[in-house]
Amino acid sequence: MSKARETAVYTHGHHESVLRSHTWRTAANSAAYLLGSLRPHMKILDIGCGPGTITADLAELVPEGHVTGVDHAPGILERARETAAARGLANVGFEVADVHALDFPDDTFCVVHAHQVLQHVGDPVQALREMRRVTKPGGYVAVRDADYGAMTWYPAVPGLDDWLALYERVARANGGEPDAGRRLKAWALEAGLTDVTAGSGTWTFSTAGERDWWSGLWADRTLASAYADRAMESGHATPDGLRAVSEAWREWGRHEDGWFTVLHGEILCRKDS
């Protein structure tokens, strides 16, 4: 087994503006493509679990099984444990792990799931090889990732074009691939997965409440998160430039006809024997 280790830097970090988004995620709004394949007895590995909201939902859906949530950042796992404890879940646990070299035996899990992970790792193909390795024959590797280059919005606030160009530069400088969604099928095939069903899903933000929430978290993230620090440290942005991008997000959010859609690639891969 390859011992390749994490080489990318997680672009977003865990600032409050980032967790505002991550804690909103549920199995229903972020893993719907997988849910029809779940059975009550299944043993699931949730990679990049973050604050654990999707992990907890998965645990509720497999009451006779067990879910292990893993993340490379030990600190965020305390938040995930609190999430599970608040919901009274006894069939879930959390560990630190590197997706490039998972510390689990071959053929351990019925489902290995990763949401918004491969866009941030140094070697997504190796990550998928590891995910396949620890999946039982007949089990599933399930992956969903956003595709920044395919995001679209209205109206055409010019500063949001600047935001997208800046984000993609910073993410790639950190070793990630922000347009991961369109690459998932290709990466899966390269990793040796053969029974691959590829699809897509979206998040759309259009109501007044949705616009305020989505624009606000990105306006704050642009100024105060690890992403902002890395944008300046790497020379990709200046404080004035970040303030202009943040205000562009606020401006978009004030438009009554505002509409923003995030496209995600999705793959559901059945492991052969």
Side-chain angles (χ1 to χ4, degrees):
M1 178 182 69
S2 170
K3 291 296 182 182
R5 291 287 173 178
E6 177 70 67
T7 56
V9 175
Y10 180 48
T11 296
H12 297 288
H14 293 102
H15 184 264
E16 182 278 329
S17 60
V18 178
L19 293 180
R20 208 182 308 165
S21 170
H22 290 184
T23 56
W24 166 82
R25 297 172 183 174
T26 65
N29 68 29
S30 299
Y33 72 103
L34 167 64
L35 302 188
S37 300
L38 298 184
R39 301 294 180 267
H41 68 279
M42 283 182 160
K43 186 175 183 181
I44 299 174
L45 177 65
D46 186 25
I47 294 174
C49 66
T53 51
I54 297 175
T55 320
D57 283 352
L58 293 175
E60 290 182 341
L61 292 168
V62 292
E64 300 165 25
H66 188 272
V67 180
T68 302
V70 299
D71 203 284
H72 77 288
I76 197 60
L77 293 180
E78 289 307 311
R79 181 70 174 266
R81 293 185 182 101
E82 292 171 1
T83 299
R87 292 167 66 166
L89 295 169
N91 64 331
V92 61
F94 298 93
E95 302 178 20
V96 176
D98 173 9
V99 68
H100 296 94
L102 295 168
D103 192 21
F104 299 104
D106 295 358
D107 306 338
T108 298
F109 299 96
C110 306
V111 175
V112 178
H113 168 262
H115 183 267
Q116 309 285 36
V117 172
L118 295 191
Q119 63 184 280
H120 298 296
V121 306
D123 189 343
V125 174
Q126 171 60 16
L128 281 161
R129 289 191 186 107
E130 278 292 272
M131 294 171 72
R132 180 184 183 278
R133 180 184 66 78
V134 301
T135 302
K136 295 179 179 180
Y140 296 95
V141 173
V143 180
R144 187 177 198 248
D145 260 279
D147 193 303
Y148 277 76
M151 293 183 189
T152 189
W153 58 86
Y154 183 87
V157 176
L160 291 189
D161 290 330
D162 297 334
W163 159 74
L164 180 57
L166 172 63
Y167 181 83
E168 292 213 320
R169 288 198 304 272
V170 173
R172 290 191 173 113
N174 286 341
E177 176 43 70
D179 298 347
R182 71 190 68 183
R183 293 171 165 81
L184 293 183
K185 181 179 179 181
W187 287 342
L189 294 175
E190 187 176 348
L193 290 152
T194 55
D195 186 353
V196 180
T197 300
S200 62
T202 60
W203 294 333
T204 299
F205 307 102
S206 181
T207 68
E210 291 166 349
R211 294 194 317 272
D212 182 66
W213 179 77
W214 185 243
S215 64
L217 70 85
W218 269 107
D220 292 344
R221 191 182 301 191
T222 298
L223 294 179
S225 69
Y227 158 65
D229 295 338
R230 288 163 186 151
M232 289 191 291
E233 290 167 2
S234 60
H236 292 294
T238 64
D240 285 346
L242 290 179
R243 282 191 290 271
V245 168
S246 178
E247 178 49 37
W249 273 110
R250 300 283 186 194
E251 178 186 349
W252 173 82
R254 289 191 288 268
H255 281 273
E256 292 184 359
D257 57 354
W259 179 90
F260 196 108
T261 291
V262 179
L263 178 71
H264 299 82
E266 299 169 345
I267 52 170
L268 187 62
C269 314
R270 189 79 177 263
K271 181 178 175 179
D272 58 23
S273 56

